[in-house]
Amino acid sequence: MSTPAGEIARTILDGFDEHYRLFRESSRGAKERFEQARWSAVLEASRDRIDFHDQGVRATVDEVLRLHPAVKADEALWPQVKLAYIGLLYNHRQPECAETFYNSVACRVLDRAYYHNEYIFWRPAVSTEHLDGREPTWRCYYPTRDGLCRTFRQILADLRLAPRWAHPARDLRLVVRVVRERFPAPREIAADLQLQVVSSLFYRNRAAYIIGRAINGNTETPFAVPLRLDARGALRLDALLVEHEHIAALFSLARAYFMIDTEVPAALVGFLRSIMPNKPAAELYTAIGLQKQGKTLFYRDLFVHLAHSNDLFVRAPGTRGMVMLVFTLPSLPYVFKLIRDQFEPPKDTTAEKVKRSYLLVKYHDRVGRMADTLEYSDVALPIDRFDPELLAELDRLAPSRVERDGEKLVINHLYVERRMVPLDVYMRDESEEKLRFAVRGWGDAVRELAAANIFPGDLLPKNFGVTRFGRVVFYDYDEICYLTEVRFRRIPTPRSDEDVLAAEPWFSVAPDDVFPEEFPTFVWKPGRQRELAKQYNADLADPDWWRIQQRRILEGTPAEFFPYPQELRFVNRP
């Protein structure tokens, strides 16, 4: 006999199943978009898919309230709904994601009551350890039996890609050469030597990636093979990546999320964790487009960490921001950012504009140069874990963003990012090596952002950071905008000596005007920093360079970005 709790549980799971059906449909479409080189459709699908979870939650909340309007006030019903929902997840292939979807629906229907763990899935209720789908998550190949060349040929055939291969013999020859260079003979070959390859390709931007691992006795070696289309639309292998840092960089959250069709995400994430053991599951779920599941896992990991540590949240190192308050837990490699109530001059913006800027980054191709953020509402953290000085700063500068609820400090809107070393902090010891790396890395980041139609706005080094992979990344988004929205101007010639000595400019300046000739002076300190900026980044001080980038974007000529070193590309090998 049906009960109200059972009906509500069934309605929520039906909502999730419809959401995941749409998610898989979009991800499956990546194959055809890649084969047909429909690059604008690739970007559009990537942006659209980000909203699927929230759209599904809103539709499900509306359906739950339509069928059971009293459920909003009847909090006592929710433990029964949760119990009925657990029963429905038996044999479900995405139970962990379905639990997260349930939490989102429950939190929308209820109010602060969702702090009660018996109403939601604070911990997972269904194990995913041995879960698999109708088709295996990965396939096995045996190079000792078939030979390495023939094995790779079979891997490529199993992908069933429509375009013809441009130079299969040459590409396979280069694969074998890289393997021999990386693993020179003599090398013991174990009886169990095998290549395990994920059954589906990973699609992102203008590339598709084969992801796998080679198992030889007790040794496991991850590998990735990027596939690209040449100018004639023919397939080619672009590289063979076998270093751990190159594989990890592919899955960096400073890049757009992968499109991959997966029936059992837990099995796929389990495979990925085997080749990237230092990446938390939260980041890997996010990397394959299940960012809501990534958020859930990060939140759980945070509270597990709090239970097993005793350090305090403190203000993050670096120059204090004029728009955001940034704090960190030293034992956890993340920073937490909230918007201040009042912004210090000369900042002229609003909280809503700042939120829109962060949303722009979420939807845009981050090209490896912008940090991804996890966004949370009503985060309740233990007050006794806050440094008193930080707590006083939060009360003083963001009183509308925080409130005390018993022993909890509730922050109504919060961003979380991977912690980096701020570029200005990185350069403080002024060693020649670090200065050269910082100035050159800053310029490379700005160029790649410009090619992707992004202008950072505030170009000061304090708004850039150095990642654990040694890459310069932009992370302060309150002044970010599209490059095509900016007018790059050359400073007019002074009419007289009085113009030069005047306190105010002798020419009109509109809000969207930018004068690149000022960058070396206003971005870099005088001395060695400024000298290196003129050496490495002279082009960025020329308004014409910026106008050329704008013209290329407006003409629809897309830039191509490579998440691995150029010297590894087969086109750059003899």
Side-chain angles (χ1 to χ4, degrees), residues 4 101 129 220 227 254 320-321 372 426 483 487 492 552:
F101 189 88
E129 186 177 358
E220 292 190 13
L227 311 178
R320 193 174 76 169
D372 191 26
Y426 182 86
L483 188 79
R487 185 169 67 155
R552 180 192 55 77

Side-chain angles (χ1 to χ4, degrees), residues 369-371 420 445 449 454-460 463-465 472-478 480:
R369 295 297 187 176
M370 291 189 287
M420 300 175 235
L449 289 172
I454 289 292
F455 183 66
D458 192 340
L459 293 168
L460 292 174
N463 299 318
F464 293 76
V472 177
V473 168
F474 181 59
Y475 58 63
D476 193 333
Y477 306 139
D478 53 89
I480 200 170

